[in-house]
Amino acid sequence: MLKIDNELEKLKPSILNHLKTIVDINSNSENVNGNNEILIFIKNELINMGFYVEIINQHSVGATLVARNYSELHDEEQAILLLGHSDTVFPDDDTDSWAFTTAFGKCYGPGVLDMKGGLSQIIFALKILKATNNTYKPVKIIIASDEENGHLHSDFTNILKQYSTDVKCTLCCESGRPDGAFVIGRKGVGRMDILSEGIEAHAGYELDNGVNAILNLTSLIEHIQRNKVHLSKEKQHFNLGKLNGGTEVNVVPGHAKAEFDVRFFTEQDFTSLVNWVKKNIEQCTADKPDANFSMNSVIEYPAMEVNEKNMALFHNVATIMEGAGMEQPRYVFVSGGADSSYISSFQIPVICAFGPAGNFNHTKREFIYVDSLFERIKLLALCITQL
Ligand SMILES: [Zn+2]
């Protein structure tokens, strides 16, 4: 362990430089060139460390990087998967005047927490192990460049499934929590869209011949909100986030759309909520014969259900931390989706928020603690050798 500590000490300035390099490359999820530039930078470093690296191009978004330090696995051997993403939520014109800085023990900059700190963590954990001649087991790395928009326009989730069949456990180096707690479960994220069709008509001459799609939709929403109290607590986590409709103020609106964000513990909870909403639609249509609704629902992120596998992995990491004299970690269950949810749905043990601790992701106040960056690099190096 002393060798690892010494190497880490020596590398501290390079670690901050590395993080600066990738933070200062604009990489909004839609910025194909920026994301690919980061992936190529990382690819070259991994190749220098003896990894096999594939860059899998996508049609309209940045690529996916898949790397491994083995050509094939023997017997029962399986790899540790380190998971991450290179994209951020910040548009390029937002980040032009905003760059990597360090002050008072913190690093700032677009994506420093979510999750470029985690990318530097992966690279330097491996560099330290290489420099100290530590032997370690098979490691696989998968980095997406469209995590922040839920992989809406890519084949990433299929790639993840296909490439994780030889994986025994996953450390998702996503944004660390402010107190460094690990995420062992996440609510799933889904959507429900309700469309209302009416009849467009001139608001002056033909008011009585029109059917107002907005009014029908708002009365349905009211109905849903009023009945919500009869649902079990687990199924009440949904939010009407967007409401659109109509064309001009002097036209009876013929179309309207309500978009709901849904968070759920299990897929079954989501399905039964969707069925409950459908029942509400039937009730509402029975009262209003001119109302015409349709509904679409989709699961964007499966739930990362708290299970024994994830808990066992958490306890193994806690034991490694204890052995290294690090403070014992806490675990939390959160409501936000991440790629760790997919891994969990493939029945692979995973813990998330393994990256450096910080706060305020998705805002310009986002930061990580410099000390946590170094500690999490060391922890990852130890996990790669001991898990
Ligand atoms: Zn993230």
Side-chain angles (χ1 to χ4, degrees), residues 58 175 239 265 328 361 383:
Q58 305 281 354
S175 327
N239 173 58
F265 288 100
Q328 277 300 280
N361 40 352
C383 286

mmCIF file with all atom_site columns, all heavy atoms in Angstrom, residues 58 175 239 265 328 361 383:
data_model
loop_
_atom_site.group_PDB
_atom_site.id
_atom_site.type_symbol
_atom_site.label_atom_id
_atom_site.label_alt_id
_atom_site.label_comp_id
_atom_site.label_asym_id
_atom_site.label_entity_id
_atom_site.label_seq_id
_atom_site.pdbx_PDB_ins_code
_atom_site.Cartn_x
_atom_site.Cartn_y
_atom_site.Cartn_z
_atom_site.occupancy
_atom_site.B_iso_or_equiv
_atom_site.pdbx_formal_charge
_atom_site.auth_seq_id
_atom_site.auth_comp_id
_atom_site.auth_asym_id
_atom_site.auth_atom_id
_atom_site.pdbx_PDB_model_num
ATOM 1  N N   . GLN A 1 58  ? -21.555 5.951  -33.055 1.00 0.00 ? 58  GLN A N   1
ATOM 2  C CA  . GLN A 1 58  ? -23.016 6.001  -33.072 1.00 0.00 ? 58  GLN A CA  1
ATOM 3  C C   . GLN A 1 58  ? -23.426 6.934  -34.206 1.00 0.00 ? 58  GLN A C   1
ATOM 4  O O   . GLN A 1 58  ? -22.603 7.703  -34.694 1.00 0.00 ? 58  GLN A O   1
ATOM 5  C CB  . GLN A 1 58  ? -23.540 6.550  -31.736 1.00 0.00 ? 58  GLN A CB  1
ATOM 6  C CG  . GLN A 1 58  ? -23.052 5.804  -30.512 1.00 0.00 ? 58  GLN A CG  1
ATOM 7  C CD  . GLN A 1 58  ? -23.800 4.499  -30.278 1.00 0.00 ? 58  GLN A CD  1
ATOM 8  O OE1 . GLN A 1 58  ? -24.774 4.193  -30.967 1.00 0.00 ? 58  GLN A OE1 1
ATOM 9  N NE2 . GLN A 1 58  ? -23.314 3.707  -29.330 1.00 0.00 ? 58  GLN A NE2 1
ATOM 10 N N   . SER A 1 175 ? -20.692 10.751 -10.319 1.00 0.00 ? 175 SER A N   1
ATOM 11 C CA  . SER A 1 175 ? -20.612 11.800 -9.299  1.00 0.00 ? 175 SER A CA  1
ATOM 12 C C   . SER A 1 175 ? -20.720 11.246 -7.884  1.00 0.00 ? 175 SER A C   1
ATOM 13 O O   . SER A 1 175 ? -21.727 10.634 -7.535  1.00 0.00 ? 175 SER A O   1
ATOM 14 C CB  . SER A 1 175 ? -21.791 12.759 -9.457  1.00 0.00 ? 175 SER A CB  1
ATOM 15 O OG  . SER A 1 175 ? -22.170 12.903 -10.797 1.00 0.00 ? 175 SER A OG  1
ATOM 16 N N   . ASN A 1 239 ? -44.760 13.518 -11.601 1.00 0.00 ? 239 ASN A N   1
ATOM 17 C CA  . ASN A 1 239 ? -44.820 14.982 -11.694 1.00 0.00 ? 239 ASN A CA  1
ATOM 18 C C   . ASN A 1 239 ? -45.222 15.414 -13.100 1.00 0.00 ? 239 ASN A C   1
ATOM 19 O O   . ASN A 1 239 ? -44.612 14.995 -14.085 1.00 0.00 ? 239 ASN A O   1
ATOM 20 C CB  . ASN A 1 239 ? -43.424 15.552 -11.373 1.00 0.00 ? 239 ASN A CB  1
ATOM 21 C CG  . ASN A 1 239 ? -43.358 17.048 -11.611 1.00 0.00 ? 239 ASN A CG  1
ATOM 22 O OD1 . ASN A 1 239 ? -44.119 17.814 -11.032 1.00 0.00 ? 239 ASN A OD1 1
ATOM 23 N ND2 . ASN A 1 239 ? -42.467 17.484 -12.491 1.00 0.00 ? 239 ASN A ND2 1
ATOM 24 N N   . PHE A 1 265 ? -40.125 2.219  -7.640  1.00 0.00 ? 265 PHE A N   1
ATOM 25 C CA  . PHE A 1 265 ? -39.235 1.254  -6.989  1.00 0.00 ? 265 PHE A CA  1
ATOM 26 C C   . PHE A 1 265 ? -39.060 -0.016 -7.812  1.00 0.00 ? 265 PHE A C   1
ATOM 27 O O   . PHE A 1 265 ? -37.991 -0.602 -7.843  1.00 0.00 ? 265 PHE A O   1
ATOM 28 C CB  . PHE A 1 265 ? -39.779 0.856  -5.610  1.00 0.00 ? 265 PHE A CB  1
ATOM 29 C CG  . PHE A 1 265 ? -39.650 1.936  -4.576  1.00 0.00 ? 265 PHE A CG  1
ATOM 30 C CD1 . PHE A 1 265 ? -40.728 2.730  -4.235  1.00 0.00 ? 265 PHE A CD1 1
ATOM 31 C CD2 . PHE A 1 265 ? -38.437 2.163  -3.945  1.00 0.00 ? 265 PHE A CD2 1
ATOM 32 C CE1 . PHE A 1 265 ? -40.611 3.720  -3.284  1.00 0.00 ? 265 PHE A CE1 1
ATOM 33 C CE2 . PHE A 1 265 ? -38.301 3.156  -2.989  1.00 0.00 ? 265 PHE A CE2 1
ATOM 34 C CZ  . PHE A 1 265 ? -39.400 3.944  -2.663  1.00 0.00 ? 265 PHE A CZ  1
ATOM 35 N N   . GLN A 1 328 ? -15.283 4.647  7.275   1.00 0.00 ? 328 GLN A N   1
ATOM 36 C CA  . GLN A 1 328 ? -16.292 3.704  6.787   1.00 0.00 ? 328 GLN A CA  1
ATOM 37 C C   . GLN A 1 328 ? -17.367 4.402  5.956   1.00 0.00 ? 328 GLN A C   1
ATOM 38 O O   . GLN A 1 328 ? -17.866 5.459  6.347   1.00 0.00 ? 328 GLN A O   1
ATOM 39 C CB  . GLN A 1 328 ? -16.928 2.961  7.965   1.00 0.00 ? 328 GLN A CB  1
ATOM 40 C CG  . GLN A 1 328 ? -16.093 1.780  8.421   1.00 0.00 ? 328 GLN A CG  1
ATOM 41 C CD  . GLN A 1 328 ? -15.904 0.742  7.323   1.00 0.00 ? 328 GLN A CD  1
ATOM 42 O OE1 . GLN A 1 328 ? -16.781 -0.062 7.064   1.00 0.00 ? 328 GLN A OE1 1
ATOM 43 N NE2 . GLN A 1 328 ? -14.758 0.738  6.645   1.00 0.00 ? 328 GLN A NE2 1
ATOM 44 N N   . ASN A 1 361 ? -24.178 18.904 -8.920  1.00 0.00 ? 361 ASN A N   1
ATOM 45 C CA  . ASN A 1 361 ? -24.062 18.583 -10.356 1.00 0.00 ? 361 ASN A CA  1
ATOM 46 C C   . ASN A 1 361 ? -25.240 19.149 -11.145 1.00 0.00 ? 361 ASN A C   1
ATOM 47 O O   . ASN A 1 361 ? -26.291 19.435 -10.599 1.00 0.00 ? 361 ASN A O   1
ATOM 48 C CB  . ASN A 1 361 ? -23.863 17.092 -10.655 1.00 0.00 ? 361 ASN A CB  1
ATOM 49 C CG  . ASN A 1 361 ? -24.682 16.184 -9.803  1.00 0.00 ? 361 ASN A CG  1
ATOM 50 O OD1 . ASN A 1 361 ? -25.322 16.609 -8.865  1.00 0.00 ? 361 ASN A OD1 1
ATOM 51 N ND2 . ASN A 1 361 ? -24.667 14.914 -10.130 1.00 0.00 ? 361 ASN A ND2 1
ATOM 52 N N   . CYS A 1 383 ? -9.529  -1.535 -4.935  1.00 0.00 ? 383 CYS A N   1
ATOM 53 C CA  . CYS A 1 383 ? -10.647 -2.410 -5.317  1.00 0.00 ? 383 CYS A CA  1
ATOM 54 C C   . CYS A 1 383 ? -10.288 -3.269 -6.524  1.00 0.00 ? 383 CYS A C   1
ATOM 55 O O   . CYS A 1 383 ? -10.656 -4.444 -6.582  1.00 0.00 ? 383 CYS A O   1
ATOM 56 C CB  . CYS A 1 383 ? -11.906 -1.586 -5.607  1.00 0.00 ? 383 CYS A CB  1
ATOM 57 S SG  . CYS A 1 383 ? -12.665 -0.939 -4.119  1.00 0.00 ? 383 CYS A SG  1
#
